[in-house]
């Protein structure tokens, strides 16, 4: 009878993968990840059968944590400005508080190793936000490509904002506000 898998080992693997993907990208070797996690190379594959499985689970884990941070107390009945502001502030605050996860997420977001199924699962976690973008912020509410463009703008603007915050953490309030104003002025309905 096989031993049950340890949640602590799984978490250690994901932490190690986060750190390495953030610093060296998706080319991080599984042997490096296992070593940093404090486990034998083969043990990693007990938890994640392939490197792609690991990367997909890592992406899903990071994006789920971000979705939880954004969706906590999400003002679903508020106006579009208040909902957008809530999402922006939570996104920037999360990225500033979790810079390693944010860097790993950026690497994984552009990786072709992340499957369509994983991306679809992530989109479900952001369904309320995606609906708000599609219905209220995109220029053509019937056009999913327009909504995807606005979503990409949010990502790009928040990435720039977080880069500035990383360089000057004492100016977090200024950069969070300035970034939002530039974004909002560009997309407001």
């Amino acid at each position: 009878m096989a031993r049950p898998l340890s949640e602590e080992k799984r978490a250690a693997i994901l932490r190690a993968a986060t750190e390495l993907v953030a610093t060296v990208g998706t080319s991080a070797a599984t042997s490096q990840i296992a070593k940093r996690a404090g486990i034998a190379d083969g043990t990693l594959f007990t938890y994640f059968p392939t490197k792609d499985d690991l990367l997909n689970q890592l992406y899903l884990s990071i994006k789920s944590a971000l979705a939880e941070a954004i969706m906590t107390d999400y003002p679903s009945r508020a106006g579009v400005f208040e909902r957008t502001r809530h999402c922006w502030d939570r996104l920037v605050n999360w990225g500033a508080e979790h810079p390693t996860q944010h860097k790993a997420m950026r690497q994984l977001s552009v990786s072709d190793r992340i499957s369509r199924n994983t991306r679809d699962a992530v989109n479900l976690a952001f369904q309320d936000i995606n609906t708000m973008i599609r219905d209220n912020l995109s220029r053509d509410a019937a056009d999913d490509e327009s909504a995807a463009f606005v979503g990409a703008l949010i990502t790009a603007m928040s990435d720039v904002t977080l880069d500035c915050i990383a360089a000057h953490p004492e100016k977090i309030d200024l950069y969070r506000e300035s970034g939002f104003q530039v974004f909002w002025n560009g997309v407001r309905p």
Side-chain angles (χ1 to χ4, degrees):
M1 184 169 167
R3 249 195 279 174
L5 298 178
S6 161
E7 189 54 40
E8 291 81 22
K9 284 184 183 177
R10 184 179 190 283
I13 295 167
L14 289 172
R15 271 191 310 277
T18 300
E19 294 166 4
L20 286 166
V21 168
T23 56
V24 299
T26 58
S27 64
T30 55
S31 60
Q32 291 176 300
I33 295 169
K35 182 177 180 178
R36 183 160 299 189
I39 61 169
D41 290 2
T43 302
L44 184 144
F45 295 107
T46 301
Y47 290 83
F48 303 97
T50 68
K51 182 176 178 182
D52 283 354
D53 289 328
L54 170 58
L55 294 174
N56 278 269
Q57 284 301 306
L58 177 60
Y59 185 67
L60 187 57
S61 173
I62 293 171
K63 290 292 260 189
S64 295
L66 174 58
E68 183 179 330
I70 291 174
M71 297 310 295
T72 298
D73 300 324
Y74 177 72
S76 60
R77 295 177 188 248
V80 68
F81 176 85
E82 291 81 10
R83 288 181 286 155
T84 305
R85 185 60 197 241
H86 171 91
C87 294
W88 176 268
D89 288 347
R90 295 294 178 99
L91 170 60
V92 171
N93 289 343
W94 180 87
E97 292 167 9
H98 303 93
T100 304
Q101 290 90 332
H102 180 255
K103 287 178 186 175
M105 182 178 69
R106 285 170 77 171
Q107 294 279 349
L108 293 165
S109 292
V110 296
S111 173
D112 58 0
R113 300 184 85 157
I114 304 303
S115 72
R116 172 59 29 214
N117 287 341
T118 299
R119 292 184 193 280
D120 289 346
V122 164
N123 284 334
L124 282 176
F126 290 91
Q127 187 169 9
D128 286 347
I129 296 166
N130 292 334
T131 298
M132 177 193 62
I133 290 170
R134 187 186 65 247
D135 294 347
N136 297 295
L137 294 178
S138 65
R139 299 290 183 216
D140 180 357
D143 184 1
D144 284 337
E145 287 180 17
S146 179
F149 178 71
V150 173
L153 286 175
I154 291 170
T155 299
M157 291 296 299
S158 64
D159 285 349
V160 168
T161 300
L162 286 163
D163 288 345
C164 291
I165 291 168
H168 301 283
E170 73 281 3
K171 295 183 179 182
I172 185 172
D173 294 334
L174 172 67
Y175 289 131
R176 184 179 47 239
E177 179 64 26
S178 297
F180 179 75
Q181 290 303 323
V182 170
F183 170 74
W184 182 252
N185 289 331
V187 301
R188 72 174 167 218

